Amino acid sequence: MKIGELAKLTGVSVRSIRYYESQGLISPIRQANGYREYSPLAVETVETIKLYLNLGLSTEQIAGFLHCVLKNKEAFCAEVMPLYRSKLEDIERQLVELNQIKRNLEERMASILQEQNESSLEACTLENLE
């Protein structure tokens, strides 16, 4: 199948498929005219790549185990679990950082609102004195 058909079947852009090829994730056969020809297995490969991208893995990380998971069940690919653990640790760190940023923003907003309220009260008091 041609690259456009693969793109249509997988919902992935032609540009992304070319990128996957440049990263060594997918390998088409080149015809004499230079066109890419993909096997029917390319659909499964692209779907698998999409799955791992949606888990937050990079194409570089995926390249390290893609061949294994396409041949075997994921459970039998030793490279997968360490990557998952590492990704979860990264996410946990990011959540801590995001929660701290959230608290900082909430504190700043509360401070601004308090200052606005105090300023309004002072303005009302001055108006009443006049």
Side-chain angles (χ1 to χ4, degrees):
M1 82 182 80
K2 302 280 188 272
I3 195 168
E5 186 180 351
L6 179 59
K8 186 176 181 180
L9 287 171
T10 59
V12 172
S13 69
V14 168
R15 184 176 178 193
S16 291
I17 293 171
R18 286 187 183 124
Y19 177 72
Y20 300 160
E21 182 183 344
S22 75
Q23 298 299 301
L25 298 174
I26 192 165
S27 299
I29 297 167
R30 289 286 184 161
Q31 295 178 336
N33 60 6
Y35 288 174
R36 294 169 173 89
E37 184 72 27
Y38 294 91
S39 78
L41 295 175
V43 173
E44 180 186 351
T45 302
V46 172
E47 292 295 340
T48 302
I49 293 166
K50 285 172 41 179
L51 167 82
Y52 290 117
L53 289 172
N54 286 330
L55 291 175
L57 300 178
S58 69
T59 54
E60 184 178 81
Q61 291 170 319
I62 296 167
F65 64 83
L66 181 63
H67 184 71
C68 180
V69 298
L70 290 172
K71 285 187 158 195
N72 307 292
K73 288 189 174 195
E74 190 178 53
F76 299 108
C77 297
E79 305 89 350
V80 174
M81 284 303 280
L83 272 174
Y84 282 1
R85 284 188 186 103
S86 175
K87 189 64 183 175
L88 279 174
E89 289 170 4
D90 289 346
I91 290 169
E92 289 295 333
R93 273 193 297 278
Q94 290 172 350
L95 287 171
V96 168
E97 290 173 16
L98 287 171
N99 279 318
Q100 183 59 53
I101 291 168
K102 180 181 179 227
R103 284 190 297 276
N104 291 345
L105 283 168
E106 289 170 342
E107 288 173 11
R108 288 301 309 141
M109 290 171 66
S111 176
I112 289 168
L113 290 172
Q114 181 180 355
E115 190 174 331
Q116 287 174 343
N117 287 337
E118 289 172 0
S119 180
S120 294
L121 285 175
E122 287 176 13
C124 286
T125 304
L126 287 174
E127 286 176 11
N128 289 339
L129 290 177
E130 293 175 354

